[in-house]
Amino acid sequence: MTQSFLGRRGMAVAPHSLAAESAVAVLREGGNAIEAMIAAAATIAVVYPHMNSIGGDAFWVMRGPNGIAGGIDASGPSAAAASLSAYQARGIRGAIPFRGGDAALTVAGTVGGWGLAHRVAASVGGRLPLSRLLSDATLVCRIRGIPVTASQSLSTAEKLDELRDLTGFAQTFLIDGAPPAIGELFRQPRLAASLRRIAMHGTQDFYRGELARSNALELEALGSPLRFDDLAAYEARLVNPLVTSVRGATLRNMQPPSQGVVSMMILGIMDRVLRRYPKAIGGPTSPSFVHLQVEATKLAFKVRDQHLTDPAFMTISAQALLDDQRLEGLAAEVRLDRAAPWGARSDPADTVWMGVIDESGMAISFIQSIYHEFGSGLVLPTSGVNWQNRGCGFSLDPAHINRLEPRKRPFHTLNAGLAELDDGTTMVYGTMGGDGQPQTQATVFTRIHHFGQAPQDAIEAPRWLLGRTWGNASDTLKLESRFPPDLVAALGDMGHDVEVIGAWDEAVGHAGAILRRPNGVFLGGFDPRSNGAVCAL
């Protein structure tokens, strides 16, 4: 076992080091884990601008030091004017476009989530003002600038042809008309002004104040169905996370429209397969283990595609999908020696996952996104907000469970994992990466919990991905090239459609994990595939 990152008074992990540092700075000033995460969320929206924005959505899974769990759904619904008939009248029938005003059809919920989280933080002893929590983000956004990462530079170049002509994109994300080079300083002064306004007037200004009025007018002018009334009606919601048990642990994840239940189903199916065939499973990177987890993923995705959408439109509760009898039945379908057919259906996505646990044991698993790289591609002229395209995930098929309807939340790939182990350890874990999220979550959790790997080892080890994710359009079983050739061959012999990708490929996500042991010691791991870090006190 290699050495993990250690801490004694608190720890944060993020896919960009400046976000992790923002969180730990708040902990050092006496802030709690919720306040620390607000600071990290604001900073990551600035320093990883191709992956998330204040124009996106977020989910929070939380555990208090007293063991009480809660969650925040900060996802936004579609506009009141967004309907199948309205889109058909505009000649849009096959699918909602990925870019432009037609894609910018859902309210951005993440800022509302910050506001609700700030109120929750105050109710449990938090004392830091919103202005302090947003100060790091504002400073690097306007004055210091951020050194452009390889991820941002490459993403901008790869998506330039489809984004260049969209309102505000070139002005915001290009430097002298070209994608920024790695290490160039990148500033967003209009976004900085919006963050200062939110810090001064509160998060409600984004939905019911002058910022909301400006954004609504500009969204309408750019072809979005969103209006001021849609923003004004929005409230982030407190929800109870889903819960299930596997051997030695209680798992929590987010309710729909998040796909948190998928991550839990994969782990639930695997737990039952491991109990049924204990001698059939090799190590965490053996062909047998990879095969079985891929098969569990296929089964969970099939259930997801039949049932998951806005919970107000579901015919079965997500918690019922975790019923023991259902999971036992799915586990019985897994073949030990042969891959089941894979009906390709997967979505790309761009996201950030972050975790914080403070000295008291308060734990936060958090995820924030604008869906595809740069979202809709629209950057609002006054506020500098890059608006999400989460609404393009709706179906225009009237019979589809995730069909477009007014004021409906679309299905979300976003989900955030939290576990309470039977020995008293608390663990937060997650990743970015669309359909890869539940797969990587399950992989990292199992490597740590079942196989006893240190968090950093579990994250650094080669990973796999079934289907497509951001920057990747094939539906193969992708294996990082660090897997041994005999494993690749063995999976091919089982019937998997295998594709070898880069040794440290971003396609498999930017993962992270933190454990707080019963003695108060923290262990953490970050993903070298990202620009991340673990920071600790």
Side-chain angles (χ1 to χ4, degrees), residues 268-346:
I269 293 167
M270 282 298 294
D271 183 57
R272 287 158 176 81
V273 171
L274 289 168
R275 280 187 272 151
R276 185 175 296 177
Y277 305 109
K279 296 182 180 180
I281 311 300
T285 55
S286 67
S288 59
F289 178 74
V290 175
H291 163 72
L292 290 173
Q293 187 148 303
V294 169
E295 295 306 290
T297 297
K298 292 175 183 177
L299 292 166
F301 277 6
K302 184 177 179 181
V303 173
R304 177 195 71 178
D305 295 344
Q306 291 174 342
H307 295 292
L308 288 196
T309 186
D310 184 327
F313 295 82
M314 288 176 62
T315 58
I316 185 173
S317 74
Q319 190 64 55
L321 297 175
L322 297 169
D323 176 76
D324 183 68
Q325 187 174 357
R326 180 185 294 271
L327 293 178
E328 287 285 358
L330 291 171
E333 295 183 33
V334 175
R335 289 187 56 179
L336 298 181
D337 59 349
R338 194 71 190 163
W342 166 233
R345 184 276 183 207
S346 52

Side-chain angles (χ1 to χ4, degrees), residues 179-239:
I182 299 169
E184 272 195 274
L185 284 178
F186 175 76
R187 295 181 176 88
Q188 299 181 77
R190 291 172 298 151
L191 181 60
S194 295
L195 287 168
R196 289 199 306 274
R197 182 170 184 88
I198 292 168
M200 181 181 300
H201 297 284
T203 57
Q204 295 306 312
D205 195 73
F206 192 84
Y207 300 98
R208 290 176 271 284
E210 289 306 310
L211 193 55
R213 295 186 185 281
S214 168
N215 286 342
L217 288 172
E218 291 174 357
L219 282 163
E220 181 178 3
L222 295 172
S224 167
L226 286 168
R227 301 293 183 266
F228 176 79
D229 287 349
D230 295 311
L231 302 181
Y234 181 72
E235 294 282 355
R237 302 179 296 175
L238 287 172
V239 297

